[in-house]
Structure formats: structure tokens, C-alpha cells
Amino acid sequence: MQDALVDQLMGEVIRKMNGGASAPAATPEPASAAPRAKAPAACNLTEFVGTAIGNTIGLVIANVDPLLHEQMKMDKKYRSIGIVGARVGAGPHIFAADEAVKATNSEVVLIELARDTEGGAGHGSLIIFGASDVSDARRAVEVTLGEIDRTMGDVYGSPAGHLEFQYTARASAALNKAFGAPIGQAFGITVGAPAAIGVVLADTAAKAATIDAVGYASPANGTSFSNEVIFTFSGDSGAVRQAIHAARDVGKQLLGAMDPTPLVSTTTPYI
């Protein structure tokens, strides 16, 4: 009997080591839908740039076909495009893309939030950069992929739902396009799933500091019908961070009341 129990426990440990997943992401979700860090398969295609957690892939097209240009309704000055797509994560990827446009000679031409998260409560994402030179498009994708590990730092998930918090001291074009963030100002977001928790996070953030509300998205109004609420705001850098800290403390307690699974950040918290 004892040997059988030991064998069962060892089998469970090995199973988790072979298929383990980290906690879900931003605009992300339950343990079953958590972002996975895994070694990328070998790929020699010229379009392939790399991968990142959240089942994220980065691609580049050096010369976009005129027919695709027309169908995408994209300015023909963007001869090359960089593409980032993820199954899990929207906020982390958009904040990462914001750093990419600051660091490269590229522009964000499209941001869409897919109803995905591998079946969880939140989004996946599609981000397209436009550039006149393929090296700029590729570099924008590389920077984005490199930043995702950091921007996943304040994403927490359990089987019951997820929490996400993002912050930047200076918003740029990607955040402006996705959320209407004032360019050049400190900007933050709180995300809670299920959506009921997101409502309380928004109220907590608004009461915690003097901030300017930028937007509020709920299941039927702005989140692709995902089960979450997203609150976005700007203001003084210290105030934005204070609002996020207060919401994060409350969110952990609320999500913890739904499921005893310890809440652990997906990577290393950065806010």
C-alpha cells in the first residue's frame, strides 16, 4: 500500500515536471490556460523570428504582397511588417510592443484582442508593426518578445481566474492605439477575472490615488466578451503605481477566497 502511494506521488511529480505551466496571463487565466515557457521547435523559415511564454510567436514579412496590403487596408509605405501573436496575453504583449516602438523605427498598425487564453477567461493577441525596412520590423518583434518576460511579472492566475497589472512611466504609440493612453504620461491597467473582481479592482484603484480614468472595458463592452474587467488610467507616476499596488493587494485576497491555490506571479513582479 505504501509503495503504491509513493509510486503515485512520484508519477504526479514527473507529470508536472514534463508538462508544467506557469501562471496565466494578462488579460489571462486559469492554471489550465497558463502561459507555457518551452523550447522553440527548430524553424529555418525566413519569416520566423522567435517565441515567448504565453504560446507567443514572432514573425516578419519582408515584402508584403500588394493583394494583402489591400485586404488589410494598410498603408503601402509599410513594405515590411512584424507580427506578434499569442494564445495567452494581451496586456503584457501590448506593453511590450510599446517599448518596441520607442526603440525602433516602426509603427503599430494593428492591435486586436482574440477571445482565447486557451479556453480561459481572457484574451490572446495579434500585434502588427509596419516599417519601410525589414530590419526595423524584425527588430520591433525582437524587442517585443524580449520584453514579454518582464511584462508577465505582475500577472497572477489560479483555476478560479486571473489578475493582471501593468505600468509604464511613459506611454507611447502602442498603448495609445490599444487603450487611448495619453502619449508621454505614466499609464497603468488593472485586470480582474472573473469580471466581478475586476469591478472591485477598478474602484480600489480609483480611490487609492489621484488618477485620470482613461477607459473601462467589461464583457459586453470592449473585451471581446471575455470574463474580465479592464480599467485603464494615467496621471502622476507615483499615483499610478499607488493605485496599482492597492488594487493588487485587494485582488489577491479576492481571488484567493475563490480557490486555495497559492497565487504566484508568472515571472518576476516589476511594478
Side-chain angles (χ1 to χ4, degrees):
M1 172 76 85
Q2 186 175 7
D3 289 343
L5 179 59
V6 170
D7 290 341
Q8 180 181 352
L9 291 174
M10 288 300 297
E12 181 67 8
V13 170
I14 292 171
R15 184 190 66 77
K16 290 182 177 179
M17 290 178 65
N18 290 337
S22 53
T27 336
E29 334 342 281
S32 61
R36 297 170 178 79
K38 54 187 177 183
C43 183
N44 297 319
L45 293 174
T46 57
E47 293 88 351
F48 179 75
V49 177
T51 61
I53 58 175
N55 278 333
T56 302
I57 190 167
L59 306 166
V60 66
I61 299 177
N63 293 288
V64 181
D65 189 278
L67 289 177
L68 186 58
H69 258 296
E70 181 180 348
Q71 292 302 311
M72 293 179 70
K73 299 179 175 57
M74 190 169 60
D75 194 320
K76 290 189 172 125
K77 71 179 181 180
Y78 301 124
R79 189 169 63 91
S80 303
I81 60 173
I83 311 162
V84 175
R87 295 295 311 282
V88 178
H93 294 68
I94 296 168
F95 272 75
D98 204 59
E99 296 303 314
V101 295
K102 295 175 188 175
T104 63
N105 187 25
S106 64
E107 297 180 33
V108 172
V109 298
L110 174 72
I111 295 177
E112 294 183 358
L113 305 186
R115 178 68 185 93
D116 196 336
T117 314
E118 299 176 350
H123 296 100
S125 55
L126 171 65
I127 300 172
I128 296 180
F129 300 93
S132 58
D133 189 282
V134 65
S135 62
D136 289 319
R138 175 177 288 272
R139 183 58 185 154
V141 172
E142 290 172 344
V143 172
T144 301
L145 295 178
E147 285 286 325
I148 289 171
D149 189 73
R150 178 184 68 85
T151 56
M152 284 282 194
D154 282 282
V155 174
Y156 305 81
S158 78
H162 69 267
L163 309 170
E164 179 194 342
F165 309 93
Q166 300 290 346
Y167 164 82
T168 181
R170 183 174 61 89
S172 191
L175 291 172
N176 176 263
K177 188 174 189 66
F179 299 116
I183 292 178
Q185 294 187 25
F187 181 73
I189 71 173
T190 65
V191 182
I197 291 179
V199 176
V200 176
L201 296 188
D203 184 69
T204 301
K207 289 175 177 174
T210 303
I211 54 175
D212 297 318
V214 174
Y216 175 91
S218 59
N221 184 24
T223 75
S224 300
F225 296 99
S226 61
N227 188 10
E228 58 190 342
V229 160
I230 304 170
F231 181 50
T232 59
F233 46 93
S234 63
D236 174 77
S237 176
V240 171
R241 290 171 64 94
Q242 182 179 338
I244 291 173
H245 289 167
R248 185 173 59 191
D249 291 342
V250 168
K252 286 182 177 180
Q253 295 179 62
L254 294 176
L255 193 56
M258 296 178 66
D259 190 281
T261 304
L263 282 176
V264 180
S265 59
T266 303
T267 57
T268 302
Y270 75 95
I271 303 175

